[in-house]
Amino acid sequence: MKLQDFFPYQLAQLAEAVSRSVATVYADRFGLTRDEWRILAALAEQGQMQGSDLGPHASLDKMQVSRALARMEEAGLIVREPSPHDARARTVKPTAQARKLYRKIVPMVEQREAFLLEALSKTEREALMSAMKKVRERALQDLP
């Protein structure tokens, strides 16, 4: 087997290249890490979330979430409050500063996404999205 031809490796390489390309928008201009951006986007989408729900929603592990939340809280982007439903849990909310930052970044990352996808025809983009969905569903199935 050649590593360069192995599907999981190729997919990881693609994901890393795309992630780095998009990260130039929020990292270079706004000083956010990939993990902070994902959490910011999740909170913008959901309004507020339990800290424990951020990891699965943003595809981050507990340590990544914890570190990102600490940095974001220090930067004034989030507040953490006790959950009204579970005394052990914390609810994470974006601040007005975070919402303003998110609104500033979104058009830029959407522009970057469009630039990347312009390499494909409309039919190719649709096929890519469909193929990714099918492979993701298959990957989530239990192994035989």
Side-chain angles (χ1 to χ4, degrees), residues 127-139:
L128 175 63
M129 296 303 171
S130 176
M132 287 191 312
K133 180 181 177 188
K134 287 178 181 180
V135 172
R136 184 173 40 251
E137 288 170 355
R138 179 60 63 100

Side-chain angles (χ1 to χ4, degrees):
M1 177 183 87
K2 285 182 61 179
L3 180 61
Q4 272 64 22
D5 296 334
F6 189 50
F7 173 69
Y9 178 78
Q10 289 181 348
L11 194 57
Q13 292 291 98
L14 174 62
E16 183 64 20
V18 169
S19 185
R20 284 182 185 209
S21 178
V22 175
T24 60
V25 172
Y26 54 77
D28 294 349
R29 296 180 190 163
F30 302 100
L32 291 176
T33 67
R34 181 196 68 155
D35 300 349
E36 292 164 351
W37 165 248
R38 286 185 183 180
I39 290 171
L40 182 63
L43 292 173
E45 181 182 325
Q46 299 294 317
Q48 65 183 31
M49 295 180 73
Q50 296 294 330
S52 59
D53 294 335
L54 281 165
H57 190 82
S59 294
L60 300 170
D61 66 37
K62 288 180 184 181
M63 187 58 70
Q64 290 171 304
V65 170
S66 177
R67 288 180 181 149
L69 289 178
R71 287 189 302 265
M72 293 174 79
E73 189 170 37
E74 187 175 306
L77 296 174
I78 59 138
V79 292
R80 292 190 262 192
E81 300 172 346
S83 171
H85 309 295
D86 181 353
R88 297 170 294 155
R90 307 276 283 178
T91 299
V92 180
K93 299 177 181 179
T95 62
Q97 176 186 345
R99 289 188 296 274
K100 181 178 178 184
L101 179 62
Y102 178 77
R103 287 190 303 270
K104 191 182 287 189
I105 294 173
V106 166
M108 295 177 192
V109 295
E110 287 176 338
Q111 183 178 28
R112 190 66 187 168
E113 175 190 41
F115 168 76
L116 294 171
L117 292 175
E118 283 172 1
L120 305 173
S121 70
K122 183 177 187 253
T123 303
E124 289 172 325
R125 284 192 302 273
E126 290 169 354
L128 175 63
M129 296 303 171
S130 176
M132 287 191 312
K133 180 181 177 188
K134 287 178 181 180
V135 172
R136 184 173 40 251
E137 288 170 355
R138 179 60 63 100
L140 293 172
Q141 290 178 1
D142 289 337
L143 296 176

